[in-house]
Amino acid sequence: MKNLHSHILSANKKPVLYEAYTNEILWDDLHISKKMLQFHLSDSSEAASRNKEFIKKSVLFIIKELSLKQGDSVIDFGCGPGLYTHLLAQNKLNVTGVDISSNSLEYAKVMANKDKLDITYIKQNYLLFSPTIIYDAALLIYCDYCALNISQRKKLLANIYKSLKLGGDFFFDVFSLVAYEKREDITRFGRNLMDNFWSKNDYFCFANSFTYEKEKVYLDKYEIIEKNKRFTIYNWLKYFTVEEIKKELLDANFLVTKIYSDVAGKPYNSHEPVIALHCQKK
């Protein structure tokens, strides 16, 4: 009983900020990565990607905002199953997608072949990406930036910087403090929680959400316990003020030219949950 009590305490303990990263499990585990792909492709949930109509609107806005013309080169960091790259390629752009998920990239390649689109897909952690060509524009969509700690964010910005021509455009989004204010500490427990998302096998799950008030970081922590296996998932999200994100970009030699409230060009409003930024390489 004492051992069981210790396990339960450990499963529900608030971690030290950024003490562990487990993103590779989300994308390497065959079962979980298939579930993630389903979320990406679902039009009834925005847990992994925004809805199709919004994405179409976003792509048209991005092309106009970044003054992209036929033949220009665009790289999409964290491209997933190609929801943006596919539409960009249909608009006659030369497109490259970088993602860590084999499952998502395989889907993206199948769809590109189906529509006879020439898209380059690279399977790699974008924190380790080293460009072999220089691009006119770079994208990082759906607040991927927020999932990283400060050193990882610096590394990613450096990689994006190296990928762009001088004066090249970088367009991305982050969560604002408005979104953070809606977060709260929550504890849940259940059998096969989240509709068997974490395993095809029978499991129990402790799901905890923790707020880090000083740093404005939120963690979803999942402790999954199967009969012969136990593992933990950490999903970190950092929330930004405009001043904070602009400073990180300036430190990385990016100049912010315009700010919006989403990647479809919604005019900026400080009461919105998302900050979208158009930047240029200095």
Side-chain angles (χ1 to χ4, degrees), residues 125-138:
N125 183 333
Y126 51 47
L127 296 177
L128 304 176
F129 179 73
S130 181
T132 56
I133 64 173
I134 302 302
Y135 299 87
D136 295 300

Side-chain angles (χ1 to χ4, degrees), residues 84-125:
Y84 291 83
T85 49
H86 197 94
L87 294 175
L88 290 165
Q90 286 181 330
N91 280 274
K92 310 301 181 184
L93 297 168
N94 292 326
V95 184
T96 297
V98 179
D99 202 273
I100 197 172
S101 171
S102 299
N103 204 38
S104 291
L105 289 181
E106 186 57 35
Y107 175 88
K109 291 175 183 177
V110 168
M111 297 306 294
N113 289 335
K114 178 183 176 182
D115 287 351
K116 296 181 172 55
L117 297 174
D118 185 15
I119 304 173
T120 300
Y121 284 113
I122 301 171
K123 183 191 180 302
Q124 191 170 39
N125 183 333

Side-chain angles (χ1 to χ4, degrees), residues 48-263:
S49 297
R50 297 184 174 103
N51 66 75
K52 293 176 183 177
E53 287 305 312
F54 182 88
I55 292 172
K56 289 179 183 177
K57 182 180 177 182
S58 298
V59 168
L60 292 176
F61 172 76
I62 289 168
I63 291 171
K64 181 179 179 181
E65 173 68 16
L66 276 54
S67 300
L68 295 170
K69 59 186 183 299
Q70 182 174 336
D72 281 350
S73 57
V74 182
I75 182 168
D76 184 7
F77 288 87
C79 65
L83 302 181
Y84 291 83
T85 49
H86 197 94
L87 294 175
L88 290 165
Q90 286 181 330
N91 280 274
K92 310 301 181 184
L93 297 168
N94 292 326
V95 184
T96 297
V98 179
D99 202 273
I100 197 172
S101 171
S102 299
N103 204 38
S104 291
L105 289 181
E106 186 57 35
Y107 175 88
K109 291 175 183 177
V110 168
M111 297 306 294
N113 289 335
K114 178 183 176 182
D115 287 351
K116 296 181 172 55
L117 297 174
D118 185 15
I119 304 173
T120 300
Y121 284 113
I122 301 171
K123 183 191 180 302
Q124 191 170 39
N125 183 333
Y126 51 47
L127 296 177
L128 304 176
F129 179 73
S130 181
T132 56
I133 64 173
I134 302 302
Y135 299 87
D136 295 300
L139 305 177
L140 181 70
I141 302 295
Y142 211 0
C143 304
D144 260 30
Y145 192 77
C146 299
L148 308 174
N149 65 34
I150 183 61
S151 63
Q152 292 170 326
R153 299 197 300 269
K154 288 180 179 179
K155 177 63 176 172
L156 178 56
L157 288 179
N159 291 345
I160 293 171
Y161 187 88
K162 288 186 291 185
S163 301
L164 289 171
K165 68 179 185 181
L166 188 64
D169 297 286
F170 172 39
F171 192 66
F172 77 121
D173 54 354
V174 297
F175 290 119
S176 74
L177 293 191
V178 172
Y180 178 81
E181 290 166 2
K182 299 177 182 179
R183 297 299 199 176
E184 59 182 348
D185 289 16
I186 302 171
T187 298
R188 293 179 294 154
F189 173 76
R191 189 171 192 172
N192 301 322
L193 203 64
M194 299 171 61
D195 193 26
N196 287 99
F197 180 88
W198 297 113
S199 178
K200 64 181 180 180
N201 302 317
D202 187 44
Y203 66 87
F204 291 93
C205 178
F206 288 99
N208 284 275
S209 298
F210 299 107
T211 53
Y212 297 78
E213 180 61 29
K214 180 181 177 182
E215 299 86 358
K216 297 298 186 286
V217 172
Y218 193 68
L219 169 65
D220 285 319
K221 176 190 173 191
Y222 303 93
E223 189 84 11
I224 296 93
I225 305 165
E226 300 179 42
K227 184 177 181 180
N228 298 308
K229 182 181 177 183
R230 174 180 173 180
F231 61 98
T232 308
I233 299 293
Y234 298 80
N235 287 334
W236 304 94
L237 283 178
K238 162 70 178 168
Y239 297 76
F240 292 89
T241 64
V242 169
E243 293 73 23
E244 189 176 14
I245 188 60
K246 286 178 72 174
K247 183 180 185 307
E248 291 193 8
L249 289 161
L250 186 61
D251 289 345
N253 288 313
F254 283 100
L255 177 67
V256 177
T257 59
K258 291 183 182 178
I259 302 175
Y260 298 94
S261 280
D262 65 27
V263 293

